[in-house]
Amino acid sequence: MSDIRVIIDGREVTVPEGTTILEAAKKANVKIPTLCYLKDVGLKGIKHDIGSCRVCVVEVDGKPDFVSSCNTPAENGMVIKTNTPKVLAARKLNLEMLLSDHHLDCTTCPKNGICELQSLCAELNVRAIRPQGEMKSLPIDDSSPSIIRNPNKCILCQRCITACKVLQTVDALELYGNGFDAVVRPKGGIPLIETQCVNCGQCALVCPTGAIVERDDTWKVWEAIADPSKHVVAQTAPSTHVTIGEAFGLPVGTDITGKMVAALRRLGFDAVFDTNWAADLTIMEEGYELIHRIKNNGVLPQTTSCSPGWIKFAEEFYPDLLPHISSCKSPQQMFGPIAKTFYAEKKKINPENIFVVSVMPCTAKKYEAARPEMNSAAKYWNNPGISRDVDVVLTSRELIRMIREAGIDFANLPDEKYDPIMGEGTGAAQIFGATGGVMEAALRTAYEVVTGKTLPKLDFEDIRGMKGIKEASVNMNGITVKVLVAHSLGLARQLMDKVRAGELKDYHFIEIMACPGGCIGGGGQPIPTTVEERELRINGIYERDKKLPIRKSHENPEIQAIYKEFLGEPLGHKSHQLLHTHYIPRGKNN
Amino acid sequence: MIAAVGSAGKLFWEKDRCMVDMVQFFLDYTQKNSCGECTPCRIGTKRMQEIVQKVFDGSISDSEISFLKNLATDIETSSRCDLGKMAGKLVRYTLEFCNDDIESRIKGSCACSIPANMGWQQVVMLR
């Protein structure tokens, strides 16, 4: 690759051949506005540059028409003008065209204040919508428990299609129709719930407008809090410990655990617990399950099961490989039934009155909580009056909205501690929030359980971070345990195809997270969630792990206590009743 | 009369049609064949259609005519592919060279000026 010289707004800049005009302009400190363009969709290297919005158009000397800077390579000697009155007028008019077919109820839009279309209009000084005419008026698709689609807000940037098709290889969305009638819709025009959508919410993370958003369940929580008969408990997912602060002006990746606990108490929760505690419980069950499979020639490699997007993906596309998936419920779903059994007994509260709210990074968790089989507490007590294991799932974004609504000055809250019984979490649980974390946590425990020795080094650097498929091996009493880690369903598909082809027979354990970067990049996390944010949040996760006094799940005193007082042993009878589950083959052939 | 417009097609028109008919037909063709991805073609040509309809209704104002020119120029220069560009070009040429046709259409008649229209030859010649 040789270097080329281009002139942008009168300034010369040297860039490698193949650089787009947009990137070259960045190098010249010229900011060209973009709307549909996304440098990375979830992972580095997955680009979205179809040039459909025509907002980033620029003038190039010698060319009669404008070119879109996001997908036009700069050529040697090019003279580019990015902000002549002519360009500005075109940009504005193209934006006005979009607005002329956009339902402009900004004040009541879920994306009000974090809408890219809105902020672009402010930036480009749009003061009128000159083109006027017919507007699309399509039904809102609220069939999914996770994601609400309002096609009337769609600007057809197709970022969601790239996220769904290229990043996740789920391919549940399509562009359909011609001209003004073109829409982005679930494949075949059926309601989203009837498609192979896995509810991961990566589409909602990249949607620039209010066309794809998470389902808002905040009012259900306000209602429960207001009901004096209900004992409302919260559980907070590992990744939320380092992401909620972003919305309140704190640096990305800041550990806000103590403030989040304080905020939840101020919102009126009767008890505030940690999903990290349930993550430690998951490690006990899943670690023992792995050891059991290795010892008894069980189905290997075993894959993790905490990512509900991944679970639905497997059910849809790999129903033949379901025996590989750990039977452990996710930490969220382990917490629910324990709150309505062990905790209820301990605190002498009628389990019918316990209302479990989880704070999750994840839109798929809403779907998971709604799965019919996630009703173990009612089964355990044989009492249909007990509500579902997890009553409401709030995404990070919804909790942020509740904190704002209540007028809580989050950044200045004092640090408070979780309530006892289900509030203690270790560093091993904390790293569940990042890709590779479940694996690392499992290895920390499995090694010590199997060998009876202390692990010399707790940090498994090889399986951390945003690189693609990651691999490690650990020697345990003469057995070399080989593990793999994938984040994003596109990478998961690569691994599962190999499992199907019998190429991974000598591997023991595979961690799969549906979202790039793991839960810190979940579909319910604060917007924006770019590769950069993901990296900073991952750093925050490992920093918190480092500073926690206990960093291995099996050393968590509250976990030791529940086995002693209630569960007996990992994989025991009660565990199977409350903490393990089964999967349902879905997909076209099931 | 033969005219080459857009996707390497040939259009055969009767003598008693005018450029405004042609524009209306071609915008309809554009909308039906637009992939719907880029803003100027998807929404812009629809907005032009709506304004051209006002020419037929006789309800168009001078400011709308001048905005139509704005739109046409923008669609011609910033559409992603030649389908949208061509629609913009056609409308711009019509406004530039076939004002008589527009005037008479607004008044409710047809100037039937396709056969001898200079502007129309321009459309064929360019590009």
Side-chain angles (χ1 to χ4, degrees):
Chain A
M1 282 282 193
S2 54
D3 278 355
I4 53 166
R5 296 217 304 263
V6 292
I7 293 171
I8 299 177
D9 294 345
R11 275 186 298 276
E12 191 174 284
V13 57
T14 306
V15 291
E17 206 179 335
T19 307
T20 60
I21 293 175
L22 181 70
E23 292 295 325
K26 267 188 198 143
K27 213 180 154 182
N29 279 329
V30 170
K31 185 186 167 199
I32 300 170
T34 58
L35 182 54
C36 66
Y37 173 78
L38 254 194
K39 185 160 136 270
D40 303 299
V41 181
L43 291 173
K44 276 210 166 82
I46 298 180
K47 226 180 8 186
H48 184 73
D49 60 350
I50 59 169
S52 69
C53 70
R54 317 309 284 171
V55 163
C56 72
V57 289
V58 294
E59 260 186 279
V60 175
D61 274 12
K63 289 194 196 280
D65 296 341
F66 297 118
V67 299
S68 43
S69 56
C70 68
N71 59 0
T72 307
E75 289 163 26
N76 199 31
M78 243 185 197
V79 177
I80 298 151
K81 299 189 180 88
T82 77
N83 56 8
T84 59
K86 218 169 118 182
V87 172
L88 298 184
R91 230 171 245 166
K92 223 180 233 190
L93 187 49
N94 292 338
L95 207 45
E96 287 176 40
M97 286 177 199
L98 282 173
L99 293 175
S100 76
D101 187 31
H102 184 83
H103 285 211
L104 289 166
D105 46 357
C106 288
T107 45
T108 52
C109 179
K111 290 290 279 294
N112 189 11
I114 49 167
C115 168
E116 292 176 50
L117 182 63
Q118 202 180 44
S119 49
L120 196 60
C121 289
E123 197 177 315
L124 298 185
N125 198 23
V126 175
R127 286 291 175 271
I129 305 170
R130 289 164 294 164
Q132 290 286 339
E134 191 187 321
M135 268 192 171
K136 53 182 171 268
S137 180
L138 299 159
I140 290 172
D141 180 354
D142 64 352
S143 62
S144 156
S146 300
I147 286 160
I148 309 288
R149 289 180 51 256
N150 182 349
N152 303 308
K153 299 258 171 102
C154 176
I155 58 167
L156 278 80
C157 69
Q158 297 182 63
R159 286 177 180 181
C160 56
I161 294 180
T162 299
C164 195
K165 188 177 181 162
V166 184
L167 173 71
Q168 301 295 57
T169 65
V170 171
D171 203 10
L173 299 169
E174 66 180 357
L175 180 73
Y176 175 81
N178 292 89
F180 189 75
D181 297 330
V183 287
V184 170
R185 65 175 200 179
K187 275 230 157 125
I190 53 178
L192 194 60
I193 189 75
E194 293 169 27
T195 67
Q196 68 272 35
C197 166
V198 302
N199 313 294
C200 72
Q202 289 304 304
C203 55
L205 276 188
V206 295
C207 179
T209 67
I212 305 181
V213 295
E214 71 285 354
R215 179 182 284 278
D216 186 303
D217 291 312
T218 54
W219 63 272
K220 289 184 193 163
V221 179
W222 287 123
E223 272 185 352
I225 288 170
D227 182 343
S229 71
K230 283 204 162 67
H231 181 80
V232 187
V233 305
Q235 57 160 327
T236 58
S239 63
T240 61
H241 292 236
V242 300
T243 61
I244 299 287
E246 285 170 40
F248 301 99
L250 297 165
V252 178
T254 306
D255 172 10
I256 47 80
T257 305
K259 293 187 194 315
M260 177 161 62
V261 175
L264 288 163
R265 284 220 177 87
R266 280 156 181 72
L267 289 175
F269 283 88
D270 297 299
V272 182
F273 295 129
D274 201 355
T275 312
N276 288 20
W277 174 89
D280 281 328
L281 188 61
T282 306
I283 285 300
M284 294 302 290
E285 294 292 328
E286 199 159 351
Y288 275 84
E289 182 187 6
L290 178 68
I291 294 163
H292 181 85
R293 285 191 190 211
I294 292 172
K295 278 187 180 157
N296 299 289
N297 289 325
V299 179
L300 289 172
Q302 173 181 315
T303 79
T304 56
S305 57
C306 4
S307 171
W310 147 242
I311 294 297
K312 177 133 192 284
F313 182 82
E315 290 174 329
E316 291 281 356
F317 300 102
Y318 297 94
D320 51 317
L321 302 181
L322 294 179
H324 286 269
I325 302 176
S326 160
S327 64
C328 289
K329 287 180 182 173
S330 68
Q332 163 177 283
Q333 295 303 143
M334 286 196 180
F335 180 97
I338 296 291
K340 293 179 183 190
T341 55
F342 173 66
Y343 171 75
E345 275 183 327
K346 234 178 139 70
K347 296 288 274 192
K348 301 191 174 52
I349 302 167
N350 179 349
E352 288 180 28
N353 297 332
I354 293 184
F355 191 89
V356 174
V357 176
S358 58
V359 180
M360 291 283 147
C362 181
T363 44
K365 287 282 165 195
K366 289 177 186 273
Y367 174 87
E368 180 183 49
R371 289 174 70 118
E373 68 274 18
M374 295 298 177
N375 209 10
S376 309
K379 274 201 211 95
Y380 177 90
W381 294 112
N382 197 11
N383 175 358
I386 294 171
S387 58
R388 306 191 52 77
D389 294 344
V390 173
D391 293 278
V392 177
V393 177
L394 295 175
T395 57
S396 302
R397 295 197 289 271
E398 287 162 281
L399 177 65
I400 288 162
R401 289 202 289 271
M402 285 180 79
I403 293 170
R404 284 214 179 103
E405 233 180 304
I408 293 166
D409 178 10
F410 187 86
N412 294 310
L413 284 174
D415 287 354
E416 291 183 13
K417 284 194 162 26
Y418 285 103
D419 288 302
I421 304 176
M422 302 167 77
E424 173 90 36
T426 67
Q430 184 52 55
I431 60 177
F432 263 61
T435 167
V438 176
M439 182 59 71
E440 186 170 338
L443 292 176
R444 287 179 192 181
T445 286
Y447 179 90
E448 302 205 350
V449 169
V450 170
T451 63
K453 291 185 213 135
T454 306
L455 196 60
K457 184 169 173 279
L458 283 187
D459 298 358
F460 290 83
E461 305 282 354
D462 292 352
I463 49 175
R464 292 181 178 184
M466 289 294 289
K467 38 189 192 284
I469 291 171
K470 298 166 286 185
E471 203 176 320
S473 60
V474 191
N475 193 305
M476 299 184 192
N477 279 2
I479 304 172
T480 303
V481 176
K482 292 175 74 180
V483 304
L484 285 161
V485 173
H487 55 120
S488 85
L489 293 169
L491 295 177
R493 185 180 286 277
Q494 289 178 25
L495 284 185
M496 294 321 279
D497 285 343
K498 286 188 169 146
V499 170
R500 193 177 261 164
E503 290 169 32
L504 300 179
K505 280 198 167 75
D506 54 345
Y507 286 85
H508 300 90
F509 200 11
I510 300 178
E511 179 204 299
I512 293 176
M513 292 294 153
C515 297
C519 304
I520 49 87
Q525 291 285 30
I527 289 171
T529 292
T530 63
V531 171
E532 290 73 27
E533 267 98 22
R534 285 178 161 99
E535 281 166 346
L536 290 166
R537 292 170 186 169
I538 288 173
N539 295 343
I541 290 267
Y542 290 110
E543 270 169 40
R544 183 157 197 270
D545 164 41
K546 255 204 218 74
K547 69 183 186 205
L548 284 168
I550 305 172
R551 295 181 62 199
K552 302 168 202 162
S553 299
H554 55 289
E555 292 176 359
N556 181 338
E558 286 187 351
I559 294 296
Q560 291 166 346
I562 192 179
Y563 279 110
K564 205 164 124 213
E565 296 170 34
F566 182 69
L567 290 171
E569 56 175 0
L571 310 183
H573 175 66
K574 268 191 186 162
S575 291
H576 274 288
Q577 264 182 305
L578 297 171
L579 308 180
H580 290 258
T581 186
H582 60 277
Y583 307 109
I584 301 146
R586 299 175 204 265
K588 289 187 183 76
N589 307 319
N590 289 289
Chain B
M1 199 67 226
I2 298 171
V5 175
S7 315
K10 288 189 176 72
L11 295 171
F12 297 87
W13 290 76
E14 289 178 14
K15 277 190 180 165
D16 60 350
R17 308 295 292 276
C18 73
M19 269 307 278
V20 192
D21 288 327
M22 165 68 82
V23 166
Q24 193 185 33
F25 167 84
F26 192 67
L27 288 177
D28 180 60
Y29 171 87
T30 307
Q31 272 290 314
K32 283 198 174 96
N33 289 280
S34 164
C35 74
E37 289 198 29
C38 85
T39 311
C41 183
R42 179 178 78 250
I43 303 174
T45 60
K46 171 83 176 178
R47 295 292 169 253
M48 291 204 299
Q49 255 188 322
E50 288 160 335
I51 297 175
V52 169
Q53 190 50 51
K54 287 184 169 183
V55 172
F56 283 94
D57 300 346
S59 64
I60 193 159
S61 65
D62 288 352
S63 67
E64 279 168 324
I65 292 265
S66 91
F67 181 59
L68 181 62
K69 190 163 184 166
N70 245 350
L71 267 178
T73 310
D74 180 78
I75 292 161
E76 179 189 349
T77 49
S78 58
S79 285
R80 201 172 66 174
C81 82
D82 281 336
L83 185 78
K85 287 182 194 292
M86 204 66 204
K89 202 186 286 292
L90 175 68
V91 172
R92 184 168 66 83
Y93 283 153
T94 306
L95 288 164
E96 270 177 39
F97 300 108
C98 313
N99 217 349
D100 301 353
D101 301 37
I102 298 173
E103 291 292 317
S104 33
R105 263 293 169 213
I106 293 172
K107 291 187 183 109
S109 62
C110 172
C112 317
S113 61
I114 284 186
N117 188 294
M118 279 302 294
W120 182 231
Q121 283 169 17
Q122 295 271 7
V123 177
V124 177
M125 306 299 289
L126 280 160
R127 268 207 189 204

